[in-house]
Each structure stands twice: as structure tokens, then as C-alpha cells.
Amino acid sequence: MAVRQIRIMGDEILTKKCKPVKAMNDRTMELIEDMFETMYQANGCGLAAPQVGVLKQIVTIDVDDGNQYVLINPEITATDGSQTGYEGCLSLPGKSGIVTRPNYVKVKALNENMEPYELEGEGLLARAICHECAHLEGQMYVELVEGELVDTAADEEEIIE
């Protein structure tokens, strides 16, 4: 496993739509392992493959609920309610902004064994799923920020990814 370089806002790859993963291979499995390591090293709770320069539909999430989630080719199938709060991004370090997201999300995806499953999440998990899936479409949270981005002290930051 290795820590990969996180692409920063302004990098063209963050604006591109990702391609579906057709089959699992050693390189893709290594990418998933590297994404978790990179995410943890940066104190994030989610990371999308384009953030490490790979245009594949892969997301890793760990919101401290005792689970690690891998979403391959994710598709949000249901949302409900809303939550508004500060959100940050590893691709825009030191900044955060207020964003409204669904409070409940249901997503269907493949796991690291390419087996289909559904994941339901509320609160932070729902926010992370929405945030990361948007990266796969070439979108960043700054497009949804209500008001201005604010500077955030790294030790106080609750970073979505």
C-alpha cells in the first residue's frame, strides 16, 4: 500500500466524468488499498478515485462507524430529508463551506469483490456518499456552497473527504 498524491482543485482531472469499473484486477485492488491509506493519512472520511488521478468509479468511505465502505460504480437510488452543515474536501485543503445534502441516502454499488450490494446511510454517511459520488461526475462541493468558503484550522476541521 502507498499514499498517493491528492489532486487539488484546479486540476483538470477533478472536472472529468469517471468510467465504470468492468472487472476487478490486482491494479484496481491496489488502488482501493492506496485510497484508504491516502484518506487516513490526510484525516479524511471519504475519497474518490479521481482525487488520486484515476478516472474510475471507485469511492472509499470510513465515517468512524466501525465500517469501511468501498463503492464501485455507485448509483444513488433514494434520498430523503435534508441536513445543512459545514463540508470540506481533501482536494481543497484548509477551506470549508455550508452545504445542504439529503439526510438519508440509499446507494447501490459493487464491493471490492465485484458483488452487488445496497448501502443506506444517514447523517455524515449520507453526506459522504453524496459528496464522493459527485466527484465521480466531475463535480466538487464548492458548486453547492451556500455563501462563502471559509478558512478552516486543520486541527478543528471535520473534513468530509
Side-chain angles (χ1 to χ4, degrees):
M1 292 196 315
V3 173
R4 297 193 183 204
Q5 179 183 350
I6 296 174
R7 303 298 180 95
I8 302 301
M9 189 169 140
D11 189 318
E12 190 178 312
I13 201 162
L14 295 173
T15 66
K16 296 187 181 293
K17 198 168 180 173
C18 295
K19 295 183 183 343
V21 176
K22 294 187 183 344
M24 183 56 62
N25 57 38
D26 290 343
R27 252 178 90 183
T28 302
M29 189 58 82
E30 182 180 338
L31 170 64
I32 291 168
E33 292 170 2
D34 290 355
M35 285 174 63
F36 274 113
E37 188 167 339
T38 302
M39 180 181 79
Y40 292 138
Q41 192 270 339
N43 296 316
C45 65
L47 191 67
Q51 291 181 275
V52 292
V54 179
L55 287 173
K56 289 186 176 182
Q57 291 182 12
I58 301 173
V59 163
T60 56
I61 296 174
D62 185 342
V63 293
D64 286 333
D65 65 355
N67 296 299
Q68 288 183 322
Y69 302 104
V70 175
L71 304 174
I72 298 172
N73 304 338
E75 180 186 333
I76 294 173
T77 59
T79 62
D80 192 36
S82 69
Q83 59 174 310
T84 301
Y86 278 96
E87 193 165 311
C89 181
L90 295 177
S91 291
L92 189 57
K95 298 285 187 186
S96 64
I98 295 176
V99 176
T100 299
R101 301 267 190 196
N103 192 53
Y104 164 86
V105 171
K106 184 177 188 178
V107 63
K108 68 177 185 178
L110 302 173
N111 64 19
E112 61 274 15
N113 299 314
M114 298 300 283
E115 300 164 338
Y117 78 108
E118 288 187 330
L119 174 64
E120 295 178 271
E122 293 183 344
L124 182 57
L125 180 55
R127 182 178 290 276
I129 291 168
C130 291
H131 182 113
E132 301 308 332
C133 287
H135 273 299
L136 304 181
E137 297 296 320
Q139 300 167 345
M140 287 188 62
Y141 85 104
V142 294
E143 298 170 34
L144 303 174
V145 169
E146 301 164 19
E148 299 293 316
L149 288 173
V150 295
D151 291 328
T152 318
D155 57 349
E156 299 173 4
E157 211 164 351
E158 181 175 304
I159 301 176
I160 288 305
E161 37 173 314

